[in-house]
Amino acid sequence: MSLHDITARIAKAEAAAGRPAGSTKLIAVSKVQPNERVAAVLEQGHRCFGENRVQEAAGKWPEFKQRFSDIDLHLIGPLQTNKARQAMELFNAIHSVDRPKLARTLARLAQEFGNCPDLFIQVNTGEEEQKAGIMPADADEFVAECRDLDLPVQGLMAIPPVDEEPSLHFALLAKIAERNGLSGLSMGMSGDFEQAIALGATHVRVGSAIFGARVRPEG
Ligand SMILES: *Cc1c(COP(=O)(O)O)cnc(C)c1O
């Protein structure tokens, strides 16, 4: 697969779902990929990337930002409150807002900075113990809490359980977003982004299908 193939598959999935062309944003997930592979995708003109660790992103993106303009960097992994400041300085969007304490920290920093990245609330649709995300039953209250804090919540994000039909989780996420008046849906990865687009994904997070298998295991 290549960037070109994935872009073509996204366009096809949008058309099949009767959605406007270009209504899905492709986040190229570059975590643990060698810099040459990332640079190759940048050279093809792609600008939107996802990283799951603040530290790793802080190590590689400042240099790319000097070489390439208009980079749109998304944090898709869990965020510790003590890294929130660094994350807000580095990322254009954060997809992993998942608890009140983090929301309050982001709100305080947004006040201080006078701006805030686009935010997505991560929902643990599979109610998995080891996974981050607010539980579906608590999502409405948490959305309201984030809005009370004046946080710019664009939508919801989910990572379905590996062994379940992802469409059920995409549909659940879409339903929670709809009843909360949120238009953004960050869902779909290499193996299931077409299904996610069929169910309304506005952001798909695709790593290995663009870059090839990750060369070292993610921690
Ligand atoms: C790694 C990762 C992805 C991309 O996974 P692929 O299967 O390589 O496409 C998407 N979302 C999150 C949250 C990830 O951590």
PDB file of all heavy atoms in Angstrom, residues 48-77:
ATOM      1  N   CYS A  48      -0.853  15.862   7.169  1.00  0.00           N
ATOM      2  CA  CYS A  48      -1.535  15.532   8.422  1.00  0.00           C
ATOM      3  C   CYS A  48      -1.014  14.203   8.981  1.00  0.00           C
ATOM      4  O   CYS A  48      -1.126  13.167   8.320  1.00  0.00           O
ATOM      5  CB  CYS A  48      -3.040  15.469   8.185  1.00  0.00           C
ATOM      6  SG  CYS A  48      -3.958  15.123   9.688  1.00  0.00           S
ATOM      7  N   PHE A  49      -0.454  14.258  10.183  1.00  0.00           N
ATOM      8  CA  PHE A  49       0.177  13.081  10.775  1.00  0.00           C
ATOM      9  C   PHE A  49      -0.309  12.856  12.197  1.00  0.00           C
ATOM     10  O   PHE A  49      -0.745  13.788  12.870  1.00  0.00           O
ATOM     11  CB  PHE A  49       1.705  13.250  10.772  1.00  0.00           C
ATOM     12  CG  PHE A  49       2.299  13.200   9.387  1.00  0.00           C
ATOM     13  CD1 PHE A  49       2.303  14.336   8.588  1.00  0.00           C
ATOM     14  CD2 PHE A  49       2.790  12.019   8.871  1.00  0.00           C
ATOM     15  CE1 PHE A  49       2.808  14.299   7.293  1.00  0.00           C
ATOM     16  CE2 PHE A  49       3.302  11.967   7.574  1.00  0.00           C
ATOM     17  CZ  PHE A  49       3.315  13.106   6.786  1.00  0.00           C
ATOM     18  N   GLY A  50      -0.205  11.596  12.636  1.00  0.00           N
ATOM     19  CA  GLY A  50      -0.588  11.257  13.998  1.00  0.00           C
ATOM     20  C   GLY A  50       0.549  10.579  14.732  1.00  0.00           C
ATOM     21  O   GLY A  50       1.281   9.774  14.157  1.00  0.00           O
ATOM     22  N   GLU A  51       0.671  10.925  16.003  1.00  0.00           N
ATOM     23  CA  GLU A  51       1.671  10.302  16.873  1.00  0.00           C
ATOM     24  C   GLU A  51       0.967   9.895  18.155  1.00  0.00           C
ATOM     25  O   GLU A  51       0.023  10.553  18.586  1.00  0.00           O
ATOM     26  CB  GLU A  51       2.784  11.311  17.209  1.00  0.00           C
ATOM     27  CG  GLU A  51       3.686  11.655  16.038  1.00  0.00           C
ATOM     28  CD  GLU A  51       4.701  10.544  15.723  1.00  0.00           C
ATOM     29  OE1 GLU A  51       4.922   9.656  16.585  1.00  0.00           O
ATOM     30  OE2 GLU A  51       5.266  10.575  14.609  1.00  0.00           O
ATOM     31  N   ASN A  52       1.438   8.805  18.789  1.00  0.00           N
ATOM     32  CA  ASN A  52       0.757   8.409  20.025  1.00  0.00           C
ATOM     33  C   ASN A  52       1.538   8.736  21.291  1.00  0.00           C
ATOM     34  O   ASN A  52       1.031   8.534  22.378  1.00  0.00           O
ATOM     35  CB  ASN A  52       0.331   6.939  19.986  1.00  0.00           C
ATOM     36  CG  ASN A  52       1.502   5.992  20.081  1.00  0.00           C
ATOM     37  OD1 ASN A  52       2.622   6.361  19.708  1.00  0.00           O
ATOM     38  ND2 ASN A  52       1.261   4.794  20.567  1.00  0.00           N
ATOM     39  N   ARG A  53       2.767   9.252  21.144  1.00  0.00           N
ATOM     40  CA  ARG A  53       3.535   9.621  22.335  1.00  0.00           C
ATOM     41  C   ARG A  53       4.106  11.025  22.192  1.00  0.00           C
ATOM     42  O   ARG A  53       4.753  11.337  21.185  1.00  0.00           O
ATOM     43  CB  ARG A  53       4.692   8.652  22.553  1.00  0.00           C
ATOM     44  CG  ARG A  53       4.242   7.312  23.064  1.00  0.00           C
ATOM     45  CD  ARG A  53       5.343   6.287  22.883  1.00  0.00           C
ATOM     46  NE  ARG A  53       4.951   5.049  23.520  1.00  0.00           N
ATOM     47  CZ  ARG A  53       5.327   4.680  24.744  1.00  0.00           C
ATOM     48  NH1 ARG A  53       6.136   5.440  25.452  1.00  0.00           N
ATOM     49  NH2 ARG A  53       4.900   3.557  25.268  1.00  0.00           N
ATOM     50  N   VAL A  54       3.890  11.829  23.237  1.00  0.00           N
ATOM     51  CA  VAL A  54       4.353  13.218  23.217  1.00  0.00           C
ATOM     52  C   VAL A  54       5.874  13.268  23.056  1.00  0.00           C
ATOM     53  O   VAL A  54       6.407  14.021  22.238  1.00  0.00           O
ATOM     54  CB  VAL A  54       3.926  13.942  24.512  1.00  0.00           C
ATOM     55  CG1 VAL A  54       4.465  15.368  24.538  1.00  0.00           C
ATOM     56  CG2 VAL A  54       2.406  13.945  24.648  1.00  0.00           C
ATOM     57  N   GLN A  55       6.558  12.422  23.836  1.00  0.00           N
ATOM     58  CA  GLN A  55       8.020  12.437  23.844  1.00  0.00           C
ATOM     59  C   GLN A  55       8.591  12.130  22.466  1.00  0.00           C
ATOM     60  O   GLN A  55       9.484  12.819  21.975  1.00  0.00           O
ATOM     61  CB  GLN A  55       8.513  11.389  24.854  1.00  0.00           C
ATOM     62  CG  GLN A  55       9.644  11.871  25.710  1.00  0.00           C
ATOM     63  CD  GLN A  55       9.332  13.208  26.365  1.00  0.00           C
ATOM     64  OE1 GLN A  55       8.269  13.372  26.959  1.00  0.00           O
ATOM     65  NE2 GLN A  55      10.221  14.166  26.241  1.00  0.00           N
ATOM     66  N   GLU A  56       8.064  11.094  21.858  1.00  0.00           N
ATOM     67  CA  GLU A  56       8.547  10.698  20.535  1.00  0.00           C
ATOM     68  C   GLU A  56       8.279  11.800  19.507  1.00  0.00           C
ATOM     69  O   GLU A  56       9.143  12.145  18.698  1.00  0.00           O
ATOM     70  CB  GLU A  56       7.854   9.396  20.107  1.00  0.00           C
ATOM     71  CG  GLU A  56       8.369   8.855  18.779  1.00  0.00           C
ATOM     72  CD  GLU A  56       7.561   7.653  18.284  1.00  0.00           C
ATOM     73  OE1 GLU A  56       6.915   6.972  19.109  1.00  0.00           O
ATOM     74  OE2 GLU A  56       7.584   7.404  17.061  1.00  0.00           O
ATOM     75  N   ALA A  57       7.100  12.376  19.572  1.00  0.00           N
ATOM     76  CA  ALA A  57       6.747  13.442  18.624  1.00  0.00           C
ATOM     77  C   ALA A  57       7.646  14.658  18.814  1.00  0.00           C
ATOM     78  O   ALA A  57       8.098  15.274  17.840  1.00  0.00           O
ATOM     79  CB  ALA A  57       5.281  13.825  18.797  1.00  0.00           C
ATOM     80  N   ALA A  58       7.924  14.970  20.097  1.00  0.00           N
ATOM     81  CA  ALA A  58       8.770  16.137  20.393  1.00  0.00           C
ATOM     82  C   ALA A  58      10.183  15.918  19.866  1.00  0.00           C
ATOM     83  O   ALA A  58      10.900  16.865  19.548  1.00  0.00           O
ATOM     84  CB  ALA A  58       8.796  16.398  21.895  1.00  0.00           C
ATOM     85  N   GLY A  59      10.584  14.663  19.738  1.00  0.00           N
ATOM     86  CA  GLY A  59      11.911  14.364  19.233  1.00  0.00           C
ATOM     87  C   GLY A  59      12.029  14.488  17.728  1.00  0.00           C
ATOM     88  O   GLY A  59      13.098  14.774  17.208  1.00  0.00           O
ATOM     89  N   LYS A  60      10.964  14.232  16.994  1.00  0.00           N
ATOM     90  CA  LYS A  60      11.121  14.215  15.539  1.00  0.00           C
ATOM     91  C   LYS A  60      10.413  15.322  14.779  1.00  0.00           C
ATOM     92  O   LYS A  60      10.839  15.669  13.685  1.00  0.00           O
ATOM     93  CB  LYS A  60      10.752  12.848  14.975  1.00  0.00           C
ATOM     94  CG  LYS A  60       9.302  12.467  15.022  1.00  0.00           C
ATOM     95  CD  LYS A  60       9.206  10.939  14.838  1.00  0.00           C
ATOM     96  CE  LYS A  60       7.997  10.473  14.114  1.00  0.00           C
ATOM     97  NZ  LYS A  60       7.677   9.052  14.401  1.00  0.00           N
ATOM     98  N   TRP A  61       9.353  15.897  15.339  1.00  0.00           N
ATOM     99  CA  TRP A  61       8.571  16.832  14.525  1.00  0.00           C
ATOM    100  C   TRP A  61       9.107  18.256  14.434  1.00  0.00           C
ATOM    101  O   TRP A  61       8.900  18.907  13.396  1.00  0.00           O
ATOM    102  CB  TRP A  61       7.085  16.779  14.906  1.00  0.00           C
ATOM    103  CG  TRP A  61       6.489  15.557  14.277  1.00  0.00           C
ATOM    104  CD1 TRP A  61       6.291  14.337  14.867  1.00  0.00           C
ATOM    105  CD2 TRP A  61       6.115  15.388  12.905  1.00  0.00           C
ATOM    106  NE1 TRP A  61       5.807  13.441  13.947  1.00  0.00           N
ATOM    107  CE2 TRP A  61       5.685  14.056  12.742  1.00  0.00           C
ATOM    108  CE3 TRP A  61       6.097  16.244  11.795  1.00  0.00           C
ATOM    109  CZ2 TRP A  61       5.241  13.545  11.518  1.00  0.00           C
ATOM    110  CZ3 TRP A  61       5.657  15.751  10.568  1.00  0.00           C
ATOM    111  CH2 TRP A  61       5.237  14.420  10.442  1.00  0.00           C
ATOM    112  N   PRO A  62       9.782  18.784  15.451  1.00  0.00           N
ATOM    113  CA  PRO A  62      10.302  20.156  15.282  1.00  0.00           C
ATOM    114  C   PRO A  62      11.165  20.299  14.022  1.00  0.00           C
ATOM    115  O   PRO A  62      11.041  21.289  13.297  1.00  0.00           O
ATOM    116  CB  PRO A  62      11.092  20.387  16.569  1.00  0.00           C
ATOM    117  CG  PRO A  62      10.355  19.571  17.590  1.00  0.00           C
ATOM    118  CD  PRO A  62       9.944  18.320  16.840  1.00  0.00           C
ATOM    119  N   GLU A  63      11.975  19.294  13.736  1.00  0.00           N
ATOM    120  CA  GLU A  63      12.821  19.370  12.546  1.00  0.00           C
ATOM    121  C   GLU A  63      11.989  19.304  11.256  1.00  0.00           C
ATOM    122  O   GLU A  63      12.223  20.068  10.313  1.00  0.00           O
ATOM    123  CB  GLU A  63      13.825  18.221  12.584  1.00  0.00           C
ATOM    124  CG  GLU A  63      15.077  18.495  11.786  1.00  0.00           C
ATOM    125  CD  GLU A  63      16.009  17.279  11.807  1.00  0.00           C
ATOM    126  OE1 GLU A  63      16.269  16.759  12.923  1.00  0.00           O
ATOM    127  OE2 GLU A  63      16.435  16.863  10.725  1.00  0.00           O
ATOM    128  N   PHE A  64      11.007  18.385  11.216  1.00  0.00           N
ATOM    129  CA  PHE A  64      10.135  18.317  10.036  1.00  0.00           C
ATOM    130  C   PHE A  64       9.371  19.633   9.846  1.00  0.00           C
ATOM    131  O   PHE A  64       9.128  20.066   8.720  1.00  0.00           O
ATOM    132  CB  PHE A  64       9.130  17.170  10.167  1.00  0.00           C
ATOM    133  CG  PHE A  64       9.706  15.805   9.904  1.00  0.00           C
ATOM    134  CD1 PHE A  64       9.413  14.734  10.744  1.00  0.00           C
ATOM    135  CD2 PHE A  64      10.518  15.569   8.799  1.00  0.00           C
ATOM    136  CE1 PHE A  64       9.932  13.468  10.501  1.00  0.00           C
ATOM    137  CE2 PHE A  64      11.040  14.307   8.541  1.00  0.00           C
ATOM    138  CZ  PHE A  64      10.745  13.252   9.401  1.00  0.00           C
ATOM    139  N   LYS A  65       8.989  20.265  10.976  1.00  0.00           N
ATOM    140  CA  LYS A  65       8.236  21.519  10.875  1.00  0.00           C
ATOM    141  C   LYS A  65       9.098  22.632  10.285  1.00  0.00           C
ATOM    142  O   LYS A  65       8.575  23.578   9.698  1.00  0.00           O
ATOM    143  CB  LYS A  65       7.696  21.943  12.250  1.00  0.00           C
ATOM    144  CG  LYS A  65       6.479  21.148  12.688  1.00  0.00           C
ATOM    145  CD  LYS A  65       5.925  21.661  14.008  1.00  0.00           C
ATOM    146  CE  LYS A  65       4.700  20.851  14.431  1.00  0.00           C
ATOM    147  NZ  LYS A  65       4.094  21.367  15.671  1.00  0.00           N
ATOM    148  N   GLN A  66      10.418  22.513  10.459  1.00  0.00           N
ATOM    149  CA  GLN A  66      11.302  23.504   9.829  1.00  0.00           C
ATOM    150  C   GLN A  66      11.441  23.250   8.331  1.00  0.00           C
ATOM    151  O   GLN A  66      11.550  24.176   7.546  1.00  0.00           O
ATOM    152  CB  GLN A  66      12.677  23.458  10.487  1.00  0.00           C
ATOM    153  CG  GLN A  66      12.648  24.035  11.883  1.00  0.00           C
ATOM    154  CD  GLN A  66      14.039  24.331  12.412  1.00  0.00           C
ATOM    155  OE1 GLN A  66      15.018  23.688  12.022  1.00  0.00           O
ATOM    156  NE2 GLN A  66      14.119  25.297  13.300  1.00  0.00           N
ATOM    157  N   ARG A  67      11.426  21.961   7.975  1.00  0.00           N
ATOM    158  CA  ARG A  67      11.617  21.610   6.556  1.00  0.00           C
ATOM    159  C   ARG A  67      10.344  21.733   5.730  1.00  0.00           C
ATOM    160  O   ARG A  67      10.403  21.971   4.526  1.00  0.00           O
ATOM    161  CB  ARG A  67      12.130  20.167   6.441  1.00  0.00           C
ATOM    162  CG  ARG A  67      13.623  20.030   6.665  1.00  0.00           C
ATOM    163  CD  ARG A  67      14.040  18.572   6.711  1.00  0.00           C
ATOM    164  NE  ARG A  67      13.805  17.828   5.474  1.00  0.00           N
ATOM    165  CZ  ARG A  67      13.824  16.501   5.402  1.00  0.00           C
ATOM    166  NH1 ARG A  67      14.045  15.772   6.481  1.00  0.00           N
ATOM    167  NH2 ARG A  67      13.614  15.902   4.246  1.00  0.00           N
ATOM    168  N   PHE A  68       9.198  21.491   6.339  1.00  0.00           N
ATOM    169  CA  PHE A  68       7.928  21.463   5.598  1.00  0.00           C
ATOM    170  C   PHE A  68       6.929  22.390   6.290  1.00  0.00           C
ATOM    171  O   PHE A  68       6.803  22.346   7.511  1.00  0.00           O
ATOM    172  CB  PHE A  68       7.363  20.046   5.559  1.00  0.00           C
ATOM    173  CG  PHE A  68       8.257  19.028   4.898  1.00  0.00           C
ATOM    174  CD1 PHE A  68       9.190  18.311   5.639  1.00  0.00           C
ATOM    175  CD2 PHE A  68       8.178  18.793   3.531  1.00  0.00           C
ATOM    176  CE1 PHE A  68      10.021  17.370   5.038  1.00  0.00           C
ATOM    177  CE2 PHE A  68       9.007  17.856   2.917  1.00  0.00           C
ATOM    178  CZ  PHE A  68       9.935  17.141   3.667  1.00  0.00           C
ATOM    179  N   SER A  69       6.204  23.169   5.502  1.00  0.00           N
ATOM    180  CA  SER A  69       5.248  24.087   6.126  1.00  0.00           C
ATOM    181  C   SER A  69       3.872  23.431   6.281  1.00  0.00           C
ATOM    182  O   SER A  69       3.586  22.408   5.659  1.00  0.00           O
ATOM    183  CB  SER A  69       5.140  25.351   5.287  1.00  0.00           C
ATOM    184  OG  SER A  69       4.773  25.002   3.977  1.00  0.00           O
ATOM    185  N   ASP A  70       3.049  24.041   7.095  1.00  0.00           N
ATOM    186  CA  ASP A  70       1.646  23.634   7.265  1.00  0.00           C
ATOM    187  C   ASP A  70       1.441  22.220   7.778  1.00  0.00           C
ATOM    188  O   ASP A  70       0.455  21.571   7.428  1.00  0.00           O
ATOM    189  CB  ASP A  70       0.868  23.790   5.934  1.00  0.00           C
ATOM    190  CG  ASP A  70       0.919  25.213   5.427  1.00  0.00           C
ATOM    191  OD1 ASP A  70       0.868  26.130   6.262  1.00  0.00           O
ATOM    192  OD2 ASP A  70       1.040  25.401   4.207  1.00  0.00           O
ATOM    193  N   ILE A  71       2.345  21.747   8.602  1.00  0.00           N
ATOM    194  CA  ILE A  71       2.151  20.411   9.174  1.00  0.00           C
ATOM    195  C   ILE A  71       1.016  20.453  10.189  1.00  0.00           C
ATOM    196  O   ILE A  71       0.902  21.386  10.989  1.00  0.00           O
ATOM    197  CB  ILE A  71       3.467  19.900   9.784  1.00  0.00           C
ATOM    198  CG1 ILE A  71       4.395  19.480   8.648  1.00  0.00           C
ATOM    199  CG2 ILE A  71       3.216  18.746  10.752  1.00  0.00           C
ATOM    200  CD1 ILE A  71       5.779  19.125   9.074  1.00  0.00           C
ATOM    201  N   ASP A  72       0.166  19.426  10.117  1.00  0.00           N
ATOM    202  CA  ASP A  72      -1.019  19.323  10.963  1.00  0.00           C
ATOM    203  C   ASP A  72      -0.836  18.055  11.804  1.00  0.00           C
ATOM    204  O   ASP A  72      -1.039  16.949  11.312  1.00  0.00           O
ATOM    205  CB  ASP A  72      -2.236  19.233  10.022  1.00  0.00           C
ATOM    206  CG  ASP A  72      -3.547  19.152  10.763  1.00  0.00           C
ATOM    207  OD1 ASP A  72      -3.604  19.484  11.954  1.00  0.00           O
ATOM    208  OD2 ASP A  72      -4.552  18.745  10.110  1.00  0.00           O
ATOM    209  N   LEU A  73      -0.420  18.247  13.052  1.00  0.00           N
ATOM    210  CA  LEU A  73       0.003  17.116  13.872  1.00  0.00           C
ATOM    211  C   LEU A  73      -1.043  16.767  14.935  1.00  0.00           C
ATOM    212  O   LEU A  73      -1.486  17.635  15.687  1.00  0.00           O
ATOM    213  CB  LEU A  73       1.344  17.475  14.531  1.00  0.00           C
ATOM    214  CG  LEU A  73       2.190  16.333  15.086  1.00  0.00           C
ATOM    215  CD1 LEU A  73       2.527  15.299  14.017  1.00  0.00           C
ATOM    216  CD2 LEU A  73       3.461  16.894  15.709  1.00  0.00           C
ATOM    217  N   HIS A  74      -1.426  15.488  14.961  1.00  0.00           N
ATOM    218  CA  HIS A  74      -2.491  15.039  15.866  1.00  0.00           C
ATOM    219  C   HIS A  74      -1.950  14.056  16.902  1.00  0.00           C
ATOM    220  O   HIS A  74      -1.278  13.085  16.540  1.00  0.00           O
ATOM    221  CB  HIS A  74      -3.602  14.350  15.059  1.00  0.00           C
ATOM    222  CG  HIS A  74      -4.350  15.278  14.158  1.00  0.00           C
ATOM    223  ND1 HIS A  74      -5.723  15.373  14.173  1.00  0.00           N
ATOM    224  CD2 HIS A  74      -3.921  16.148  13.217  1.00  0.00           C
ATOM    225  CE1 HIS A  74      -6.107  16.277  13.267  1.00  0.00           C
ATOM    226  NE2 HIS A  74      -5.030  16.752  12.673  1.00  0.00           N
ATOM    227  N   LEU A  75      -2.276  14.287  18.158  1.00  0.00           N
ATOM    228  CA  LEU A  75      -1.940  13.324  19.208  1.00  0.00           C
ATOM    229  C   LEU A  75      -3.082  12.319  19.313  1.00  0.00           C
ATOM    230  O   LEU A  75      -4.228  12.686  19.587  1.00  0.00           O
ATOM    231  CB  LEU A  75      -1.727  14.020  20.555  1.00  0.00           C
ATOM    232  CG  LEU A  75      -1.413  13.064  21.720  1.00  0.00           C
ATOM    233  CD1 LEU A  75      -0.071  12.363  21.529  1.00  0.00           C
ATOM    234  CD2 LEU A  75      -1.421  13.797  23.053  1.00  0.00           C
ATOM    235  N   ILE A  76      -2.759  11.041  19.104  1.00  0.00           N
ATOM    236  CA  ILE A  76      -3.808  10.014  19.125  1.00  0.00           C
ATOM    237  C   ILE A  76      -3.644   9.040  20.286  1.00  0.00           C
ATOM    238  O   ILE A  76      -4.449   8.134  20.451  1.00  0.00           O
ATOM    239  CB  ILE A  76      -3.840   9.241  17.790  1.00  0.00           C
ATOM    240  CG1 ILE A  76      -2.487   8.572  17.536  1.00  0.00           C
ATOM    241  CG2 ILE A  76      -4.187  10.181  16.627  1.00  0.00           C
ATOM    242  CD1 ILE A  76      -2.504   7.607  16.364  1.00  0.00           C
ATOM    243  N   GLY A  77      -2.583   9.216  21.093  1.00  0.00           N
ATOM    244  CA  GLY A  77      -2.346   8.311  22.224  1.00  0.00           C
ATOM    245  C   GLY A  77      -2.664   8.980  23.543  1.00  0.00           C
ATOM    246  O   GLY A  77      -2.906  10.191  23.596  1.00  0.00           O
TER     247      GLY A  77
END
